[in-house]
Amino acid sequence: QVQLVESGGGLVQPGGSLRLSCAASRIIFSIYRMGWYRQAPEKQRELVATITTPGRTNYADSVKGRFTISRDNAKNTVYLQMNSLQPEDTAVYYCNAEYNGRGSWGQGTQVTVSS
């Protein structure tokens, strides 16, 4: 069973930065498409960014130019560097691992952007 453990969330002021990490285990990490999603209170979970096995990235329009997704296959870890954070980025951020149409989720990490 896939295990995904997120870390790096917290409270940050507007304009600040955070780096989220997601460590994966019990999978052949390099063949999985990895992604970050987020869910704000009373809203549906939404895509933030994905990265394929060759390293192609995709971003939600709302985070383009501010967030960067990357992966380290040697460490079985995917990262999300978040810069210029705004209050509307406040949400629980979830890591996702997808292969052959099947996805698994981490437990989520809270990101709160507030002054």
Side-chain angles (χ1 to χ4, degrees):
Q1 183 176 351
V2 177
Q3 282 194 335
L4 302 171
V5 179
E6 301 100 332
S7 61
L11 173 64
V12 64
Q13 291 187 341
S17 298
L18 283 174
R19 188 195 196 202
L20 305 183
S21 299
C22 171
S25 59
R26 302 182 181 178
I27 61 173
I28 304 173
F29 181 78
S30 61
I31 68 174
Y32 276 72
R33 187 186 80 158
M34 301 300 297
W36 287 96
Y37 292 72
R38 66 187 181 187
Q39 187 166 15
E42 300 182 359
K43 291 189 176 181
Q44 289 191 337
R45 192 172 297 188
E46 63 177 5
L47 170 74
V48 176
T50 60
I51 184 166
T52 66
T53 52
R56 285 194 302 271
T57 58
N58 179 56
Y59 296 92
D61 287 343
S62 60
V63 306
K64 282 181 181 176
R66 300 189 297 125
F67 291 10
T68 303
I69 189 171
S70 61
R71 64 191 297 161
D72 185 336
N73 289 342
K75 296 182 178 179
N76 285 9
T77 301
V78 62
Y79 304 97
L80 185 68
Q81 177 66 44
M82 305 186 294
N83 298 328
S84 302
L85 283 161
Q86 299 301 318
E88 52 266 34
D89 295 315
T90 295
V92 177
Y93 283 70
Y94 296 92
C95 178
N96 175 268
E98 181 181 329
Y99 176 72
N100 204 25
R102 299 184 66 178
S104 297
W105 297 93
Q107 82 289 350
T109 185
Q110 176 70 47
V111 171
T112 302
V113 185
S114 176
S115 55

